[in-house]
Amino acid sequence: MRFARLLLCLAVWALCGSAKPTERKERVVREAPLSAREHDDAQSFDYDHDAFLGADEAKSFDQLTPEESKERLGKIVGKIDADGDGFVTVEELKAWIKFAQKRWIYEDVERQWKGHDLNEDGLVSWEEYKNATYGYILDDPDPDDGFNYKQMMVRDERRFKMADKDGDLAATKEEFTAFLHPEEYDYMKDIVVQETMEDIDKNGDGFIDLEEYIGDMYSQDGDADEPEWVKTEREQFVEFRDKNRDGKMDKEETKDWILPSDYDHAEAEARHLVYESDQDKDGKLTREEIVDKSDLFVGSQATDFGEALVRHDEF
């Protein structure tokens, strides 16, 4: 997968350029829901299973016997207990839920890691990444497709250096994850905003005005009438995006737009799971407390929900 990320970038650029005039481009980064199921413990614990394991992994537990399910749950507890003190806190549970929900990100990183850590030293240097991703393409000063690969490389290098916390130009797996998925890391949010503004700011003045904002989502392409959603977006820009009413969005206004402060569903679910399972009410969970409430955390072939509800009400 030497060119996996490059091909992905090119596909996204091509898609954006060929989008239909009435198709809306989504820039806002939002947390995906923890589950598509309704969160109602009086009916089932399916939402909690999806939240705790991720929907795909939750389905795999449904094929296990209760004994197998509890055994696997016990092993997971060891992974959640990050500091190894024998207790699972709300913060540790929250971190696990976020990991379970975004497992695909880590799988993507693993795939790309193998194609970029060329000397297998446990690090991906900028030179390794540049050579593996761009390689001979950069030797052609005038590519046939007219695409500016060097501009993309400069942008990648800037992002790589921001992800590289210790500045040694060699990324650990965590730093490489921040490079590939910057929207997932607080310290990378400024680069997400900067790259978004560069994409939209066509006149290069360092701001996003109303027409640039609309133009990023919608191309009139000769149509006299705008779709209703475009008119709504114009109103949104004037009323909410441009907070200081100067006719354009600066960096902070753009950040508020694309990286809104949403309700933290992972923390809410972590607190819920701790509350329901914490038998001695010390604010943290032991392995035994979690396994005793296995019906809440995971499913199995023989889950008797009526019996589980009785146990649920007892605590």
Side-chain angles (χ1 to χ4, degrees):
M1 293 188 64
R2 290 171 65 86
F3 300 102
R5 185 170 181 272
L6 178 59
L7 293 175
L8 177 61
C9 290
L10 291 175
V12 171
W13 279 49
L15 182 61
C16 292
S18 61
K20 296 178 181 178
T22 55
E23 287 182 347
R24 179 175 181 173
K25 186 189 300 181
E26 184 57 70
R27 291 280 188 182
V28 180
V29 178
R30 297 189 184 280
E31 291 284 337
L34 300 183
S35 172
R37 305 171 188 269
E38 184 179 357
H39 193 184
D40 184 357
D41 285 355
Q43 296 298 318
S44 78
F45 295 139
D46 289 341
Y47 177 98
D48 300 299
H49 298 166
D50 286 355
F52 179 70
L53 295 168
D56 290 340
E57 187 69 10
K59 290 177 183 176
S60 72
F61 268 78
D62 290 339
Q63 310 307 313
L64 303 176
T65 66
E67 292 75 20
E68 291 170 332
S69 182
K70 287 183 179 181
E71 182 180 355
R72 283 182 60 179
L73 176 59
K75 293 177 180 178
I76 289 174
V77 174
K79 297 178 181 179
I80 302 173
D81 179 16
D83 60 9
D85 67 350
F87 297 97
V88 170
T89 64
V90 169
E91 282 302 311
E92 287 173 330
L93 195 49
K94 171 185 169 181
W96 168 261
I97 290 171
K98 285 184 177 290
F99 168 80
Q101 291 295 314
K102 295 176 180 177
R103 201 182 302 267
W104 67 271
I105 289 177
Y106 299 98
E107 291 171 351
D108 172 56
V109 171
E110 285 296 329
R111 285 192 298 268
Q112 298 211 43
W113 184 265
K114 293 175 183 177
H116 290 97
D117 181 15
L118 303 181
N119 63 6
E120 299 184 348
D121 66 347
L123 298 168
V124 172
S125 70
W126 167 246
E127 286 300 314
E128 283 179 316
Y129 179 81
K130 182 177 68 173
N131 292 334
T133 303
Y134 297 98
Y136 68 89
I137 294 175
L138 295 176
D139 295 331
D140 184 356
D142 187 24
D144 293 336
D145 58 12
F147 193 84
N148 193 332
Y149 297 101
K150 290 187 178 180
Q151 183 180 9
M152 183 188 287
M153 186 185 73
V154 169
R155 183 159 156 158
D156 269 354
E157 184 176 10
R158 182 182 63 192
R159 188 197 286 189
F160 190 98
K161 288 179 177 178
M162 180 168 282
D164 177 29
K165 282 186 169 182
D166 57 12
D168 62 355
L169 288 181
T172 63
K173 192 164 288 186
E174 184 73 9
E175 290 169 336
F176 193 60
T177 305
F179 167 66
L180 294 177
H181 299 278
E183 69 284 351
E184 301 297 333
Y185 291 80
D186 286 339
Y187 81 99
M188 295 294 290
K189 286 184 177 179
D190 282 346
I191 202 71
V192 175
V193 174
Q194 184 175 357
E195 290 179 1
T196 301
M197 293 189 76
E198 289 172 350
D199 289 344
I200 303 175
D201 175 24
K202 301 305 182 186
N203 64 13
D205 67 351
F207 299 92
I208 298 174
D209 61 35
L210 176 58
E211 293 313 312
E212 289 170 334
Y213 174 77
I214 295 298
D216 181 60
M217 306 179 197
Y218 170 74
S219 174
Q220 194 170 20
D221 200 28
D223 291 345
D225 297 324
E226 289 183 340
E228 233 9 83
W229 70 263
V230 176
K231 296 176 183 177
T232 300
E233 282 298 337
R234 288 186 181 277
E235 294 171 1
Q236 288 285 317
F237 183 94
V238 173
E239 295 297 326
F240 302 106
R241 311 278 185 243
D242 177 21
K243 299 182 186 300
N244 62 5
R245 301 292 194 272
D246 65 352
K248 53 194 176 183
M249 287 195 296
D250 59 23
K251 181 179 176 180
E252 287 305 314
E253 289 168 331
T254 303
K255 186 175 183 178
D256 288 344
W257 165 44
I258 66 171
L259 298 169
S261 299
D262 289 336
Y263 177 74
D264 194 331
H265 294 278
E267 181 171 353
E269 178 64 11
R271 292 187 180 281
H272 167 67
L273 293 175
V274 170
Y275 176 81
E276 295 294 342
S277 311
D278 184 14
Q279 298 180 39
D280 60 9
K281 302 304 177 186
D282 63 352
K284 52 191 176 183
L285 302 178
T286 63
R287 179 185 181 279
E288 290 71 24
E289 286 176 322
I290 292 175
V291 173
D292 282 349
K293 291 287 290 184
S294 61
D295 298 287
L296 176 64
F297 289 88
V298 298
S300 69
Q301 284 178 331
T303 296
D304 181 343
F305 191 68
E307 182 182 344
L309 279 179
V310 173
R311 293 199 299 273
H312 172 76
D313 290 339
E314 288 174 352
F315 291 124

